[in-house]
Amino acid sequence: MSTQYILELIGTYFFAISGALAVSNVENDLFGASFTGFITAIGGGTLRDLILDSHPLVWIADSMVMYAIFAGILTAIIFYKYVIKLRKTLLLFDTMGIALFTVLGVEKALQFGVGHEVAVIMGIFSAVMGGVIRDTLSNITPVIFKKEIYASACMVGAIMYLLLNQFHVERQVNLLASASVIAAIRLLAIRFNLYLPSLGSWK
Amino acid sequence: MSTQYILELIGTYFFAISGALAVSNVENDLFGASFTGFITAIGGGTLRDLILDSHPLVWIADSMVMYAIFAGILTAIIFYKYVIKLRKTLLLFDTMGIALFTVLGVEKALQFGVGHEVAVIMGIFSAVMGGVIRDTLSNITPVIFKKEIYASACMVGAIMYLLLNQFHVERQVNLLASASVIAAIRLLAIRFNLYLPSLGSWK
Amino acid sequence: MSTQYILELIGTYFFAISGALAVSNVENDLFGASFTGFITAIGGGTLRDLILDSHPLVWIADSMVMYAIFAGILTAIIFYKYVIKLRKTLLLFDTMGIALFTVLGVEKALQFGVGHEVAVIMGIFSAVMGGVIRDTLSNITPVIFKKEIYASACMVGAIMYLLLNQFHVERQVNLLASASVIAAIRLLAIRFNLYLPSLGSWK
């Protein structure tokens, strides 16, 4: 198994945890929590693959993905009281997850011969749509709409991946560099409370 | 027409009624009610078929499905004041509907050669996603997240179908037995007010 | 470029503006606004094409669609304070957009050999689902459920297109006539405050 594959499974595992711990689940039943964990973990990649017409879907073709999701859900359920205290650590893993999924999403889209703009959007979708679906089902404002540098960090990293790719930077280096930029932007933004202006903020 | 086919049409008919009667529709217009009825009836199967890449979709290939949906919507509109009093009866039909759609969903997924875990999830999706979409559009907490034995009953029946299938139980018997188990669990849970614990319920 | 193609791009442009200006975006960040603009513009057509299994999706195959969306988003961001005052004008363009997308959606569905009922629904989906997704993400009641003649106008136009098509009316004439009927119904309904009754309105 390649490092990248293992990282993907780990990312999926953490996405499932974050989904199972979604706000609304605290007062809902275990099955609801598991369901949200599942949807969050597969949502972004599934939407990307449906749009690209890439079948079979990753989680259908590869049981390991499914097991990573189940492991994440079980972790959230069994170690609930510990995991909930580790929110900061989880945020770190979530950030690494979206960073990784963005660049892998861009790469996959390129393999399907789509244009550069579409590849950037597929990268962003892969990373954030699971969370958007999770929040929409929970009836809370999707994280992507909050005043937080989140999907915009993914966009920067996706564009960077394309640029480095254009300059024939070696794939592994590019994946690592672009994903690191996404993670760095997001973590710095959280640390220094940076955010983008809103639509109505200048008049 | 086989018994199973007729049962599917009846299940679709009742899904359309339940969608058209969705809470928020009481104060919205007739078209909104029809639209929700339609989405509820096709939602689960459509998502399943998109995920499995099964085309054409059932309701596109077979006009009878569409007519069953239209009949359900018209029933809800014309007999609104009677139907609304029959909520208990409707619940019974809804339960039979999800039971049937679960096992048929599992069966369809197996025909596409997917793994057992995926088949179980496809069964659950077929049965509950129409309702999840209905509730999300209505801005209410999806039924699946309520403290109610609902999708978990589908999961038990889906696993049972796979087990009996493994032991070469005759298909019709298996469909009937597994669907009955789903219906029985759900109805008993409602009758005796049983539910699963929530994520934060043990510390 | 045909007139129809240019009209489609203009319709897409206005859909993107309306999405970027969605209620909730006023207090959210620029990226959220762009994201909603994008989803609103592609949502209906993407859902239609996934359902019809028509690949590659329009906005993936044709960069011009993407540029029209970006232009719409930029217009909303840069000229925010002017655009927001032009809501009435925007409503006019939105109305022409849904009228056009309805008839083109019906036409596309027919090319895939689907039944008449399915074609009508595909027309409605093309026109309104982008807005439904936009409103659902924003946690507001989807426009389609409001007491407003909106999707029902699309339905009338879609059926009219099919009828005229049956009578071999020339395509361009039919497109124009059916789209005009949709726009006229919607604008008259707004002007004279007409709406459909609700489900619980007669007892």
Side-chain angles (χ1 to χ4, degrees):
Chain A
M1 285 191 284
S2 68
T3 316
Q4 176 197 321
Y5 181 66
I6 293 169
L7 285 175
E8 272 190 78
L9 291 180
I10 295 177
T12 304
Y13 169 79
F14 281 106
F15 269 10
I17 294 182
S18 94
L21 295 179
V23 180
S24 66
N25 282 328
V26 176
E27 38 186 69
N28 291 321
D29 83 13
L30 287 182
F31 193 88
S34 307
F35 189 82
T36 333
F38 186 78
I39 301 261
T40 306
I42 64 158
T46 298
L47 187 61
R48 177 199 61 210
D49 289 349
L50 290 178
I51 286 174
L52 293 174
D53 199 23
S54 163
H55 290 279
L57 303 182
V58 177
W59 56 276
I60 288 185
D62 179 7
S63 307
M64 286 300 287
V65 176
M66 201 68 103
Y67 296 143
I69 297 173
F70 291 158
I73 292 170
L74 282 178
T75 304
I77 292 177
I78 300 176
F79 302 108
Y80 178 74
K81 79 171 180 178
Y82 305 101
V83 176
I84 209 80
K85 286 184 192 148
L86 297 173
R87 282 206 175 270
K88 279 206 172 161
T89 317
L90 276 181
L91 184 70
L92 195 67
F93 283 112
D94 178 74
T95 299
M96 297 193 322
I98 62 162
L100 184 69
F101 283 118
T102 302
V103 290
L104 294 174
V106 173
E107 197 171 51
K108 179 157 191 180
L110 289 179
Q111 285 160 9
F112 279 73
V114 303
H116 285 168
E117 309 86 356
V118 174
V120 169
I121 287 162
M122 289 298 95
I124 299 173
F125 271 28
S126 308
V128 308
M129 288 308 270
V132 168
I133 298 170
R134 174 196 64 208
D135 295 341
T136 305
L137 290 179
S138 306
N139 270 325
I140 64 173
T141 305
V143 62
I144 206 173
F145 296 127
K146 283 185 197 139
K147 275 212 159 185
E148 224 178 80
I149 305 281
Y150 184 77
S152 32
C154 299
M155 189 176 68
V156 173
I159 292 172
M160 179 170 156
Y161 181 89
L162 285 174
L163 284 175
L164 294 183
N165 191 45
Q166 211 73 356
F167 289 109
H168 306 292
V169 171
E170 205 255 313
R171 177 174 170 269
Q172 299 282 356
V173 177
N174 191 352
L175 282 176
L176 190 67
S178 303
S180 302
V181 163
I182 297 173
I185 294 178
R186 170 137 170 79
L187 294 176
L188 287 173
I190 292 173
R191 177 69 187 76
F192 296 106
N193 201 22
L194 306 174
Y195 50 84
L196 292 176
S198 67
L199 203 57
S201 62
W202 67 91
K203 299 246 163 67
Chain B
M1 287 191 282
S2 69
T3 317
Q4 176 198 320
Y5 181 67
I6 293 169
L7 286 175
E8 273 190 77
L9 290 180
I10 295 177
T12 303
Y13 169 79
F14 281 106
F15 269 10
I17 294 183
S18 95
L21 295 179
V23 180
S24 66
N25 283 328
V26 177
E27 38 187 68
N28 291 320
D29 82 14
L30 286 181
F31 193 89
S34 307
F35 189 83
T36 333
F38 186 78
I39 301 262
T40 305
I42 65 158
T46 297
L47 187 62
R48 177 198 63 210
D49 289 349
L50 289 179
I51 286 174
L52 294 173
D53 199 23
S54 164
H55 290 279
L57 303 181
V58 177
W59 56 276
I60 288 185
D62 179 6
S63 308
M64 286 301 287
V65 176
M66 201 68 101
Y67 297 142
I69 296 174
F70 292 157
I73 292 170
L74 283 178
T75 304
I77 291 177
I78 300 175
F79 301 108
Y80 178 73
K81 79 171 181 179
Y82 305 100
V83 176
I84 210 79
K85 285 183 193 148
L86 297 173
R87 283 207 175 271
K88 279 203 173 164
T89 318
L90 276 181
L91 184 70
L92 195 67
F93 284 112
D94 178 74
T95 299
M96 297 195 319
I98 62 163
L100 184 70
F101 283 119
T102 302
V103 291
L104 294 175
V106 173
E107 196 170 52
K108 179 158 192 179
L110 289 179
Q111 285 160 9
F112 279 74
V114 303
H116 285 168
E117 309 86 355
V118 175
V120 170
I121 287 163
M122 289 299 94
I124 300 173
F125 272 29
S126 309
V128 308
M129 289 308 271
V132 168
I133 298 170
R134 174 196 63 209
D135 295 341
T136 304
L137 289 180
S138 307
N139 272 324
I140 64 172
T141 304
V143 61
I144 206 173
F145 297 127
K146 283 186 199 140
K147 275 212 158 185
E148 223 177 82
I149 306 280
Y150 185 77
S152 33
C154 299
M155 189 175 68
V156 173
I159 292 172
M160 180 169 156
Y161 181 88
L162 285 174
L163 284 175
L164 294 184
N165 192 46
Q166 212 72 357
F167 289 110
H168 307 291
V169 171
E170 206 254 315
R171 176 173 171 270
Q172 300 281 357
V173 177
N174 191 353
L175 282 176
L176 189 67
S178 304
S180 302
V181 162
I182 297 173
I185 294 178
R186 170 136 172 79
L187 294 176
L188 287 172
I190 292 172
R191 177 68 187 77
F192 296 106
N193 201 21
L194 306 174
Y195 51 84
L196 292 176
S198 67
L199 203 57
S201 63
W202 66 92
K203 299 249 165 64
Chain C
M1 286 192 283
S2 68
T3 316
Q4 177 196 322
Y5 182 65
I6 293 169
L7 286 175
E8 271 190 78
L9 291 180
I10 296 177
T12 303
Y13 169 79
F14 282 106
F15 269 11
I17 295 182
S18 95
L21 295 179
V23 180
S24 65
N25 282 328
V26 177
E27 38 186 69
N28 291 321
D29 82 14
L30 286 181
F31 194 87
S34 308
F35 189 82
T36 332
F38 186 77
I39 301 261
T40 305
I42 65 158
T46 298
L47 187 61
R48 176 200 62 210
D49 289 350
L50 290 178
I51 286 174
L52 293 174
D53 199 24
S54 164
H55 291 279
L57 303 181
V58 177
W59 55 276
I60 288 186
D62 179 6
S63 308
M64 285 302 286
V65 176
M66 201 67 102
Y67 297 143
I69 296 174
F70 291 157
I73 292 171
L74 283 178
T75 304
I77 291 177
I78 299 176
F79 302 107
Y80 178 74
K81 79 170 180 178
Y82 305 100
V83 176
I84 210 80
K85 284 183 193 147
L86 298 172
R87 283 206 176 272
K88 279 204 173 164
T89 317
L90 277 180
L91 184 70
L92 195 66
F93 283 112
D94 179 75
T95 299
M96 297 194 320
I98 62 163
L100 185 70
F101 283 119
T102 302
V103 289
L104 294 175
V106 172
E107 196 170 53
K108 179 158 191 179
L110 288 179
Q111 285 159 10
F112 280 73
V114 304
H116 285 169
E117 309 86 355
V118 174
V120 169
I121 287 163
M122 290 297 94
I124 299 173
F125 272 29
S126 309
V128 308
M129 289 307 270
V132 168
I133 298 171
R134 174 196 63 208
D135 295 341
T136 304
L137 290 180
S138 307
N139 271 324
I140 63 171
T141 305
V143 61
I144 206 172
F145 296 127
K146 284 186 197 139
K147 274 211 159 185
E148 224 178 80
I149 305 280
Y150 185 77
S152 33
C154 298
M155 189 176 68
V156 173
I159 292 171
M160 179 169 156
Y161 181 88
L162 285 174
L163 284 175
L164 295 183
N165 191 46
Q166 212 72 357
F167 289 110
H168 308 292
V169 171
E170 205 256 314
R171 178 173 170 268
Q172 299 282 357
V173 176
N174 191 352
L175 282 176
L176 190 67
S178 303
S180 302
V181 162
I182 296 174
I185 293 178
R186 171 137 170 78
L187 294 175
L188 287 173
I190 292 173
R191 177 68 187 77
F192 296 105
N193 201 20
L194 306 175
Y195 50 83
L196 293 176
S198 67
L199 202 57
S201 63
W202 66 90
K203 297 249 165 65

